[in-house]
Amino acid sequence: MISRIFNWGGPLIAIIIIGACVYYFIAKAPGNVPDITMPTKLIEAQRTGDVETVVTELEAIRNDPTRNEDEKAIATFAADGAEFQITGKLEDRIKSIRDIKAVVTNTEVTDRTRALALNVVAASFADTGRSPIVFDEIFKDAPFNQYKVEGDPEESIRKLYEWSYEIVPTYISAIRISRWYAEQFVFYPDLPANIANQNAARAIEFLNNADSLVVAQSRLDPSMLQSARYIENRHWRAINIGRLSRQVGQPYTNQYKKEYEDYLAFVSASPNAYAKGSLLYGRYMYAARLFKDNDNVSVKKQLDILAADLNALENPDTVAFVQFLRNTKSQPAGVNWTFIKDVSEISPTFRAAVDRLVLSAPTNSAPMWNDNY
C-alpha cells in the first residue's frame, strides 16, 4: 500500500492505493494535489475484515495533527460500516454516513476524494438492504436533498452517482448509472419503445465507460483488480449484462451466463472480505435471471448453494443481503418476494433459509421503499 506522485509531461497525477485499489487524482497544476500518506494499516484491516483494527486506526488518524484533510477523508470512507459490523446498531451505520457526507462537502479535500466519498454515500442505501432510514439520512439536508426524487429512491441514488461522475468520472459511478438505465426495462416493461430504447442506449454507454475506466486504472496498478470497488463493478456488470440480454438481445444474450459464472468464480476466490457479501447477492441475481429463461435446473443449483451460505452466516443481522431479504418481505407483491415465492418448490432449502432469517429479524427492522434491486 503506497502513495506516489507522478508527472508524465502533462497534468500531475497522484496515484494512491486503497484496499489494493489504485485511485488517482488529475490536477491542472502540480500544486493542486497533496502528497498523501495512505492509512495502510486501516485499509488492509478493512480488506481482511478486521473491523476492530479499522475502528482503532480511524480514531488515531482523525486525532493525528500531522495528517492532512485528504488523508483523514480517505480513512473516513475507507472505514465505512466497520463500527456497524461490530455493534449491529443502525445508528452506527448512520453516523458513518454522516461522516462521509461531510467529506463530500469539504472544500479542503481534492475533487477525486470527494467523488469517491460520494460513491460510498450513494452505495450505502443498497449496502444496508435499501433501508428507508438510511435513505432519509442521505437526503435530509443540502446539498444532497436537491438530488432527491420524491417517491423514487432509485432515481435519487442515480442522481448522486451522476453528481459524482460530474466531479470526477470513476468506474463505480459509471457502472451504477448504467445499472439504473438497464433496470428500467425489467421493472417497467410497458414503457414506450422510444424511452425504453433510450434507456438501453444509456445503459450501454455507461457500461462501456465503466469498462474503459477499469482498463485505465488497472494499467496503473493491476492490484486494483482485488479491491472491493472492483468486486462491486463486476457485480453490477454481470447484472447489467443480464438485464440488457432481456431487452436488447445480442450480443448480451450470449454473454450473460459467462459473465455471471466468471464473476461468481472471481468473488469465490477473492481474499477481500467484501467478496462474501457480494457473492450472496450475485447468486441470487443470477438465479433470478436464469428463472426468466425457465432454466430451473440452474436456478436450483444457484439457490441451493446460496441457502448453504445463508445458513452458515455467523452474524446475519449485520449482513446487507439478509437486510435486503427482510425488507423485501415487507413488500409481498413486489418482484423480489414474488420471485422467492415462485422458486419455493424449485429450491425448498433456499425458501427455508429465507424464512428462518426473515422470522429472526429484530423488531425494529424497517421496511424499504420499494422492491427493486
Side-chain angles (χ1 to χ4, degrees):
M1 308 293 181
I2 57 176
S3 171
R4 295 177 182 166
I5 302 293
F6 294 84
N7 192 336
W8 291 330
L12 187 75
I13 300 178
I15 311 272
I16 61 177
I17 299 177
I18 301 180
C21 179
V22 173
Y23 296 109
Y24 55 93
F25 302 93
I26 300 180
K28 294 180 180 178
N32 290 353
V33 178
D35 191 358
I36 297 171
T37 300
M38 295 307 300
T40 55
K41 187 175 180 181
L42 181 155
I43 291 165
E44 182 64 17
Q46 184 75 301
R47 186 185 69 80
T48 60
D50 182 3
V51 289
E52 289 83 3
T53 297
V54 171
V55 172
T56 300
E57 285 297 304
L58 176 60
E59 188 66 20
I61 291 168
R62 284 174 169 170
N63 293 325
D64 186 347
T66 68
R67 293 283 194 170
N68 62 41
E69 288 297 311
D70 267 86
E71 292 167 348
K72 293 180 179 181
I74 291 166
T76 297
F77 67 71
D80 178 47
E83 188 75 34
F84 171 73
Q85 288 295 316
I86 296 172
T87 67
K89 296 179 179 179
L90 187 58
E91 54 262 37
D92 287 324
R93 197 71 173 83
I94 294 295
K95 181 180 183 302
S96 177
I97 293 168
R98 289 172 182 163
D99 291 343
I100 301 169
K101 285 174 65 178
V103 171
V104 177
T105 58
N106 186 351
T107 58
E108 295 184 27
V109 303
T110 60
D111 285 347
R112 181 72 178 186
T113 297
R114 292 177 56 238
L116 294 172
L118 184 51
N119 289 344
V120 175
V121 171
S124 63
F125 179 53
D127 288 349
T128 54
R130 306 180 69 260
S131 164
I133 298 173
V134 169
F135 180 86
D136 289 344
E137 183 62 39
I138 292 172
F139 291 99
K140 73 177 185 180
D141 48 19
F144 302 90
N145 55 8
Q146 66 183 293
Y147 299 96
K148 181 180 179 180
V149 179
E150 290 295 337
D152 194 335
E154 303 302 335
E155 188 172 2
S156 303
I157 296 298
R158 188 206 80 204
K159 287 180 175 294
L160 288 187
Y161 282 115
E162 289 175 337
W163 176 19
S164 171
Y165 195 85
E166 289 170 1
I167 297 172
V168 174
T170 62
Y171 65 83
I172 288 302
S173 55
I175 200 68
R176 295 299 285 264
I177 294 169
S178 174
R179 168 262 173 114
W180 186 89
Y181 285 104
E183 75 182 9
Q184 296 309 294
F185 174 78
V186 176
F187 297 114
Y188 308 104
D190 296 327
L191 284 173
N194 63 322
I195 296 177
N197 291 337
Q198 290 172 10
N199 287 338
R202 292 288 278 174
I204 294 169
E205 174 190 353
F206 278 96
L207 177 68
N208 292 337
N209 289 350
D211 288 347
S212 297
L213 288 162
V214 165
V215 170
Q217 290 194 211
S218 64
R219 284 173 177 168
L220 294 169
D221 181 27
S223 67
M224 179 207 84
L225 302 178
Q226 292 298 324
S227 71
R229 299 286 71 82
Y230 180 68
I231 292 170
E232 180 183 349
N233 176 79
R234 289 287 298 268
H235 171 88
W236 287 110
R237 190 177 196 279
I239 293 172
N240 292 351
I241 288 176
R243 287 170 171 168
L244 287 169
S245 72
R246 293 182 57 195
Q247 179 182 3
V248 178
Q250 301 296 359
Y252 305 105
T253 301
N254 287 343
Q255 293 177 357
Y256 92 85
K257 288 185 180 180
K258 185 176 187 303
E259 189 69 29
Y260 266 112
E261 295 287 351
D262 289 350
Y263 155 70
L264 292 174
F266 174 76
V267 291
S268 295
S270 174
N272 196 306
Y274 181 84
K276 295 179 181 178
S278 181
L279 187 59
L280 300 176
Y281 274 115
R283 289 202 187 281
Y284 175 86
M285 296 304 296
Y286 188 25
R289 178 61 188 87
L290 291 165
F291 186 70
K292 295 297 183 181
D293 285 349
N294 297 313
D295 186 356
N296 290 349
V297 172
S298 297
V299 170
K300 176 176 173 56
K301 176 183 176 181
Q302 295 302 323
L303 293 182
D304 285 353
I305 296 172
L306 177 55
D309 290 342
L310 291 173
N311 289 330
L313 292 174
E314 295 181 359
N315 191 9
D317 291 346
T318 65
V319 176
F321 184 70
V322 173
Q323 298 303 316
F324 166 74
L325 292 174
R326 290 170 176 172
N327 290 336
T328 294
K329 179 63 168 64
S330 69
Q331 301 287 325
V335 293
N336 282 294
W337 195 253
T338 298
F339 168 70
I340 290 170
K341 290 185 292 185
D342 288 343
V343 298
S344 295
E345 293 185 5
I346 298 173
S347 178
T349 58
F350 171 68
R351 180 56 192 266
V354 171
D355 287 344
R356 181 180 61 82
L357 291 167
V358 168
L359 290 173
S360 66
T363 55
N364 63 349
S365 182
M368 62 183 174
W369 280 95
N370 59 44
D371 196 24
N372 296 354
Y373 179 76

